[in-house]
Amino acid sequence: MTAGTISGAAAYSAVRRGTAPQGWPATAAEFALMTALLGGGRWAIRQSHRHRAKTLRPVDALPHDQEIVLFLRAFADDEGFANVPRGHPHGPWAATTDTEEQQLAQATALFGQMIALGKPGDALPQAGAGRYYAADHEWQAQVLAALDRARLVILACGPGRGLRWETERIVAFNRPERLVLVVARDADQYESFRAEMHDLFPKGLPRAPDFENVVVKGPDHVHIRAVVWFDGDWTPHATALGAADPEVRVHRLIEPSAWVRTAFPLAIRPVYQRAGLAIPGLPATRHTRPWQVPVALVLCALALVLLSAGTDGFDLSSEKTTTLLIFLGLPFSVLLYRTWRGGHISIRFVRFFGWLFGAVSFMVLVMPGTTRHPLVAGLLGTLSSTGALLLGGHRVREWVASLALVPPDSPRASRRKRK
C-alpha cells in the first residue's frame, strides 16, 4: 500500500504540472499500478487477519469463567459475513479492512468472546469469531455446551432448513432475552427462514422491517441488514440497522466506515440494557461541555484572524483583510457556534480545517521563499492544529455522544409516552 501511494503521488504530480517527463503512457501505468497495489495491499491485510485467527479448543474445555457469545449461521453465509462494507458513503478505498463478522464480534465484545463452529475443509478460518472445529459425530454436543453457557446467542437467518436443529435447541433452552436473530443478505432470505422456522417460536416471527425508512443509510452491498430480538415471553421485535429510535438520535452515533460495529448495538439496545451492560459508544447520561471545546474554539477563531490579517502584514484595517474576515468569518462563525452546541458534523469540519491549515502552514515554513510572514504561518499552524487536537479528545467525543440521548422532557420523548 505504501508503494501504491508513492506510485499514485508520482502520477498525480505529473498531472498537476501538466508535463510528464517519463511520458503520459508511463503516467497512466503509474495510476494503474497504484490501483493494483492498493487493492492488493487491502487484500493482504484481510488475509493476514485470517492467518492470525486462532482456532479454539472444544467448548467444554474452555475455562468455566470465560464468557462467550455463540454465533450460529449457515456455512453458505460465511462469504457474506466476510464482506468489507464498501461504496457509498465512504467509497471503495475505505480506511477500514474489518469484515462484517469482525465488526459483529467487536460490537458484542462486552457479552464475551464470539465463537462459532468452523466450516469443514476451511484452509483458513474467517476473521471475527473464534472457530472451533468438531467432527461430524460431536458438533451437536459442542453446540449444546455452548448454548448452555452463552451470555448471548446470535443466529443468522440463513437459507433453507440447515439451521432447523440449532433453532429447535435454542427455543428449547427458553432464554429468549439472550437471543438475537440477524437478518442477512436481503428480505427474501429472511422470509425463507421465517417460512421454515415460524412454527418453532412460541409467538412466531415478524416480517422483515422496511429497509427504506431508516434515518442512517448504510454502505452499499452490506450483508447484515436488520435484527430480531425478543422479550422474556418470546414477543419478537424487528429493527433495521440505522432505524430511528425515540430515545436516541442514532445519526449522531453511527459511523458508515464501521457500520456493523456502531449500528448493531443500537438496534439491540434493550438487549444490552437487560444484561446490565453499557451500549457501546453511548454514555448512560448526558455529559457537561468539557473545557476543551471553548479553548479549541478560541484557538480556531484566532487562527482565522491570523489567516486574514497575515495577507496584509497584520493590517487589520485594510480593505482586503476586512473582506476576508467577512466572507470567511460569517460561515466560520456559524460552524463554530454549531461546534459549541455539540454538532458532530460541525466538529468534524472544524477538525478537518484545523489539521488542513496546520499542515499547510508548517509546509510553508519549511519551504524557503513561500511566505513573507513566517511568524504568522507558525502561529496559524500551531493554533489550528492544537484546536483540532483538542476537539478530537476522548472527553469531547464522550460529550458529543451523550448528546444523542433524547431528554425525557423533550417533545420527542413526550410523543413516545403518549404512544
Side-chain angles (χ1 to χ4, degrees), residues 335-388:
L335 199 60
L336 294 182
Y337 173 73
R338 291 299 305 159
T339 300
W340 170 263
R341 296 295 303 272
H344 61 296
I345 297 178
S346 299
I347 289 177
R348 290 179 184 177
F349 271 108
V350 173
R351 290 189 64 209
F352 171 77
F353 286 119
W355 288 123
L356 177 64
F357 291 153
V360 171
S361 299
F362 291 131
M363 287 177 62
V364 166
L365 280 178
V366 300
M367 298 173 64
T370 55
T371 178
R372 293 179 300 165
H373 310 289
L375 179 61
V376 174
L379 285 175
L380 174 61
T382 301
L383 292 173
S384 57
S385 57
T386 302

Side-chain angles (χ1 to χ4, degrees), residues 30 33-34 65 68-69 79 85 108 170 187 214 216 224 231 242 254 257 261 283 289 294 308 314 333 341 378 384 388:
E30 286 173 344
L33 184 61
M34 175 199 71
D65 59 346
I68 63 171
V69 174
E79 183 178 351
T108 58
I170 289 171
V214 296
V216 181
I224 300 177
D231 291 333
I254 295 178
S257 60
R261 179 172 59 82
R289 184 183 294 106
S308 302
F314 286 106
S333 297
R341 296 295 303 272
S384 57

Side-chain angles (χ1 to χ4, degrees), residues 1-12 29-47 84 91-97:
M1 293 186 75
T2 301
T5 303
I6 294 173
S7 178
Y12 175 76
E30 286 173 344
F31 274 123
L33 184 61
M34 175 199 71
T35 304
L37 289 174
L38 289 178
R42 285 176 58 82
W43 174 86
I45 290 175
R46 292 176 59 185
Q47 286 298 104
V84 176
W93 302 111
T96 183
T97 56

Side-chain angles (χ1 to χ4, degrees), residues 171 194 197-207 230-237:
V171 176
R194 179 172 174 266
M197 311 293 181
H198 185 82
D199 61 299
L200 298 179
F201 292 86
K203 293 193 176 181
L205 292 174
R207 292 191 176 277
F230 299 86
D231 291 333
D233 61 354
W234 285 103
T235 300
H237 304 271

Side-chain angles (χ1 to χ4, degrees), residues 50-291:
R50 298 183 65 183
H51 278 282
R52 289 185 292 126
K54 296 181 179 179
T55 56
L56 304 176
R57 293 181 294 171
V59 177
D60 49 15
L62 293 176
H64 293 292
D65 59 346
Q66 181 176 343
E67 295 178 334
I68 63 171
V69 174
L70 179 59
F71 178 46
L72 298 171
R73 82 285 178 212
F75 291 144
D77 258 335
D78 273 1
E79 183 178 351
F81 286 108
N83 170 61
V84 176
R86 62 190 187 281
H88 177 78
H90 54 267
W93 302 111
T96 183
T97 56
D98 289 344
T99 65
E100 294 192 40
E101 185 177 323
Q102 285 177 287
Q103 294 188 35
L104 186 62
Q106 296 161 7
T108 58
L110 291 178
F111 288 94
Q113 179 185 4
M114 194 165 83
I115 66 172
L117 185 67
K119 179 181 178 181
D122 271 347
L124 286 172
Q126 294 290 348
R131 264 30 176 203
Y132 59 94
Y133 291 84
D136 290 343
H137 65 279
E138 62 180 13
W139 71 269
Q140 291 182 337
Q142 293 300 313
V143 171
L144 291 175
L147 279 174
D148 186 50
R149 59 183 295 180
R151 196 175 182 189
L152 181 69
V153 177
I154 299 175
L155 175 64
C157 302
R161 302 176 59 88
L163 294 174
R164 189 170 183 86
W165 182 87
E166 290 94 334
T167 307
E168 290 174 346
R169 302 286 83 73
I170 289 171
V171 176
F173 265 82
N174 197 29
R175 296 171 182 171
E177 67 280 355
R178 299 187 185 184
L179 174 63
V180 174
L181 304 183
V182 171
V183 179
R185 199 178 302 278
D186 52 36
D188 291 339
Q189 179 164 302
Y190 172 73
E191 289 301 329
S192 174
F193 176 89
R194 179 172 174 266
E196 295 287 349
M197 311 293 181
H198 185 82
D199 61 299
L200 298 179
F201 292 86
K203 293 193 176 181
L205 292 174
R207 292 191 176 277
D210 186 357
F211 299 118
E212 299 300 324
N213 296 326
V214 296
V215 294
V216 181
K217 294 288 186 181
D220 298 336
H221 314 295
V222 70
H223 189 67
I224 300 177
R225 306 292 307 280
V227 295
V228 178
W229 52 275
F230 299 86
D231 291 333
D233 61 354
W234 285 103
T235 300
H237 304 271
T239 306
L241 267 65
D245 188 320
E247 296 181 1
V248 178
R249 298 182 177 95
V250 297
H251 64 278
R252 283 179 164 266
L253 302 173
I254 295 178
E255 300 176 18
S257 60
W259 171 251
V260 176
R261 179 172 59 82
T262 55
F264 184 86
L266 295 174
I268 61 167
R269 191 166 57 85
V271 178
Y272 282 86
Q273 292 173 331
R274 288 192 306 232
L277 299 174
I279 292 87
L282 180 64
T285 59
R286 282 201 167 200
H287 294 186
T288 57
R289 184 183 294 106
W291 63 266

